[in-house]
């Protein structure tokens, strides 16, 4: 009974959101979930074609006696899943009541509960991405594959020393902890997201791309690619999570402007500027692939393909972010046109 009510409410909100939300001549919100749904299954089909190649690639690494991932390091994945679950529960216990009391009164009932959950998550994300970014910079900044644009000091090429696994003792630990975070998010979405998320397929595609990139980069000894992608995402996610949190519970309008400016700058720099540069660098500068082309070409296709799809999602989100920015700096009001549940609430409030 409750499940049917939630499903009906979700469909109603989605329909109303699609009717009310437009971005002028730039883009319409309607039918995006359908597009993301088919995109998800298309990506799922394509990566399933790599099932045999990943086995052959591991055999190739073994035959050439090249450095590869030690599967005993999977212990960090399990430990990470446990720690992330525990720390998220602690975070929820500490900040839930504060968020609930500070949240804008326009959120009521079921919508208020969901918004509180999101803000509690964003607070955790701000802390997690900050720690992950600082750690990565400290332990990887001198690697020859760590980009200058992110603070690297000795950059040569993104795929330096490929097809060997990066020769840094912190790679397995960092990689498995980060993987556990993304796997946790994916599982949480799959088990609970269908009941509360209006953008279920959009989020599912994103989380699936992230986990797939982490999995295949581990199998294909492309951890240097994965680490660079993780760091450039984490940097902007710090400001994104904090900015979205403060926009809903903050009281100082100037800080809302400052927070959103930080979101725009970090997002555009890392995801719209640096990310495509790294994709281009991998495509044109890959001597390690060329040396063993017949054995490694599918790894190149896989990694570049996943990153290109992810970059496409960045462009989609950037359009909405620009629209929110225009609203903040022209109308002096934070109105999240990306979130159709909030648009429904704003629409009611204005009427």
């Amino acid at each position: 009974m409750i499940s049917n009510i939630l499903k009906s409410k979700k469909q109603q909100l989605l329909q109303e959101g699609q009717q009310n939300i437009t971005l002028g001549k730039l883009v319409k919100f309607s039918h995006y979930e359908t597009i993301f749904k088919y995109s998800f299954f298309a990506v799922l089909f394509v990566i399933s074609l790599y099932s045999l190649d990943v086995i052959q690639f591991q055999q190739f690494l073994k035959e050439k006696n090249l450095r590869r991932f030690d599967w005993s390091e999977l212990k960090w994945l399990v430990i990470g899943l446990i720690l992330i679950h525990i720390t998220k529960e602690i975070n929820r216990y500490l900040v839930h009541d504060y968020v609930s009391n500070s949240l804008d009164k326009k959120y009521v009932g079921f919508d208020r509960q969901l918004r509180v959950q999101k803000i509690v998550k964003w607070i955790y994300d701000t802390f997690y991405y900050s720690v992950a970014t600082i750690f990565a910079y400290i332990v990887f900044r001198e690697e020859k594959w760590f980009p200058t644009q992110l603070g690297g000091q000795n950059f040569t090429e993104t795929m330096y020393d490929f097809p060997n696994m990066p020769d840094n003792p912190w790679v397995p630990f960092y990689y498995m902890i980060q993987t556990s975070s993304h796997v946790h998010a994916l599982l949480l979405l799959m088990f609970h997201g269908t009941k509360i998320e209006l953008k279920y397929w959009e989020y599912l595609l994103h989380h699936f791309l992230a986990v797939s990139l982490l999995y295949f980069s581990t199998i294909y000894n492309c951890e240097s690619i994965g680490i660079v992608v993780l760091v450039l995402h984490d940097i902007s996610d710090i400001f994104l999570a904090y900015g979205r949190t403060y926009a809903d519970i903050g009281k100082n309008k100037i800080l809302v402007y400052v927070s959103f400016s930080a979101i725009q700058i970090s997002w555009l720099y890392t995801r719209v500027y640096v990310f495509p540069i790294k994709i281009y660098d991998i495509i044109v500068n890959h001597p390690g692939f060329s040396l063993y082309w017949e054995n490694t070409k599918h790894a190149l296709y896989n990694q570049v393909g996943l990153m290109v799809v992810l970059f496409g999602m960045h462009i989609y989100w950037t359009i909405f972010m620009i629209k929110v920015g225009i609203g903040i700096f022209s109308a002096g009001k934070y109105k999240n046109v990306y979130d159709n549940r909030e648009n429904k609430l704003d629409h009611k409030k204005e009427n």
Side-chain angles (χ1 to χ4, degrees):
M1 180 66 179
I2 296 177
S3 177
N4 291 334
I5 294 174
L6 290 173
K7 184 176 180 180
S8 176
K9 184 176 182 64
K10 174 185 173 182
Q11 291 174 342
Q12 179 186 357
L13 289 172
L14 184 57
Q15 290 171 356
E16 293 184 20
Q18 290 173 347
Q19 292 170 0
N20 293 331
I21 300 173
T22 61
L23 295 182
K25 296 180 180 179
L26 287 177
V27 68
K28 290 184 177 181
F29 181 80
S30 60
H31 307 305
Y32 278 166
E33 271 295 89
T34 301
I35 294 173
F36 284 120
K37 180 178 180 178
Y38 287 119
S39 298
F40 168 77
F41 286 111
V43 171
L44 180 61
F45 171 75
V46 172
I47 66 172
S48 69
L49 301 178
Y50 283 85
S51 301
L52 178 60
D53 188 69
V54 296
I55 297 174
Q56 294 174 339
F57 188 85
Q58 286 294 303
Q59 292 174 342
F60 156 72
L61 294 177
K62 185 176 182 180
E63 291 171 1
K64 296 295 183 180
N65 197 28
L66 298 166
R67 284 195 311 274
R68 55 191 177 126
F69 183 76
D70 182 354
W71 293 102
S72 66
E73 300 290 353
L74 280 175
K75 64 179 181 287
W76 293 115
L77 175 62
V78 177
I79 293 173
L81 284 170
I82 296 172
L83 288 177
I84 286 172
H85 181 74
I86 292 174
T87 52
K88 282 191 173 184
E89 287 300 309
I90 293 174
N91 174 73
R92 185 181 63 82
Y93 175 78
L94 292 175
V95 305
H96 183 275
D97 290 345
Y98 169 76
V99 171
S100 182
N101 294 330
S102 303
L103 185 59
D104 193 309
K105 300 302 181 183
K106 70 180 179 181
Y107 297 99
V108 295
F110 182 69
D111 294 299
R112 186 176 186 85
Q113 296 175 30
L114 295 182
R115 198 63 175 180
V116 169
Q117 290 178 23
K118 284 183 178 291
I119 296 175
V120 168
K121 174 186 178 297
W122 293 337
I123 292 174
Y124 179 87
D125 288 347
T126 303
F127 173 77
Y128 174 82
Y129 292 131
S130 297
V131 172
T133 300
I134 294 171
F135 178 85
Y137 176 74
I138 291 173
V139 301
F140 299 133
R141 70 183 186 279
E142 295 183 0
E143 296 295 330
K144 293 184 177 181
W145 43 261
F146 197 80
T148 305
Q149 296 92 337
L150 299 180
Q153 300 175 1
N154 299 304
F155 179 76
T156 301
E157 61 179 276
T158 305
M159 294 308 301
Y160 178 79
D161 201 27
F162 180 85
N164 281 294
M165 177 184 176
D167 189 20
N168 184 305
W170 287 108
V171 168
F173 169 78
Y174 171 82
Y175 223 64
M176 289 298 101
I177 295 297
Q178 284 279 49
T179 300
S180 67
S181 174
H182 287 280
V183 169
H184 188 276
L186 177 61
L187 292 175
L188 197 64
L189 178 68
M190 292 175 65
F191 284 106
H192 299 287
T194 53
K195 297 180 180 179
I196 63 174
E197 289 292 355
L198 298 178
K199 299 182 181 67
Y200 175 77
W201 290 104
E202 176 183 333
Y203 293 153
L204 182 63
L205 176 60
H206 173 257
H207 292 339
F208 184 72
L209 284 171
V211 172
S212 296
L213 186 60
L214 287 165
Y215 167 73
F216 282 105
S217 59
T218 302
I219 292 292
Y220 284 131
N221 270 9
C222 294
E223 288 92 345
S224 59
I225 292 179
I227 292 172
V228 171
V229 173
L230 285 167
V231 173
L232 67 86
H233 279 74
D234 288 354
I235 291 172
S236 58
D237 279 337
I238 296 170
F239 298 100
L240 183 63
Y242 174 78
R244 295 173 81 181
T245 299
Y246 193 83
D248 272 331
I249 65 175
K251 306 301 181 183
N252 190 313
K253 183 177 288 189
I254 298 299
L255 288 182
V256 172
Y257 292 151
V258 172
S259 298
F260 193 79
S261 297
I263 292 174
Q264 292 273 33
I265 294 170
S266 62
W267 179 282
L268 293 174
Y269 178 74
T270 58
R271 301 202 186 197
V272 181
Y273 173 67
V274 177
F275 193 31
I277 288 177
K278 293 296 102 183
I279 296 175
Y280 178 78
D281 178 53
I282 295 167
I283 293 174
V284 302
N285 188 20
H286 51 263
F289 285 99
S290 302
L291 185 62
Y292 301 101
W293 180 248
E294 289 303 315
N295 300 104
T296 63
K297 61 183 179 182
H298 294 297
L300 177 65
Y301 301 153
N302 174 279
Q303 295 293 282
V304 170
L306 288 172
M307 287 190 291
V308 168
V309 176
L310 193 56
F311 179 65
M313 298 194 74
H314 291 174
I315 298 302
Y316 163 78
W317 289 322
T318 299
I319 294 173
F320 284 97
M321 189 174 296
I322 292 173
K323 184 66 176 181
V324 174
I326 293 173
I328 289 177
F329 293 105
S330 64
K333 178 183 178 182
Y334 175 78
K335 184 174 180 179
N336 189 349
V337 297
Y338 173 69
D339 188 339
N340 44 333
R341 176 175 285 112
E342 182 169 329
N343 271 267
K344 181 198 172 190
L345 292 170
D346 286 343
H347 180 71
K348 283 185 175 180
K349 187 174 181 180
E350 291 168 1
N351 292 332

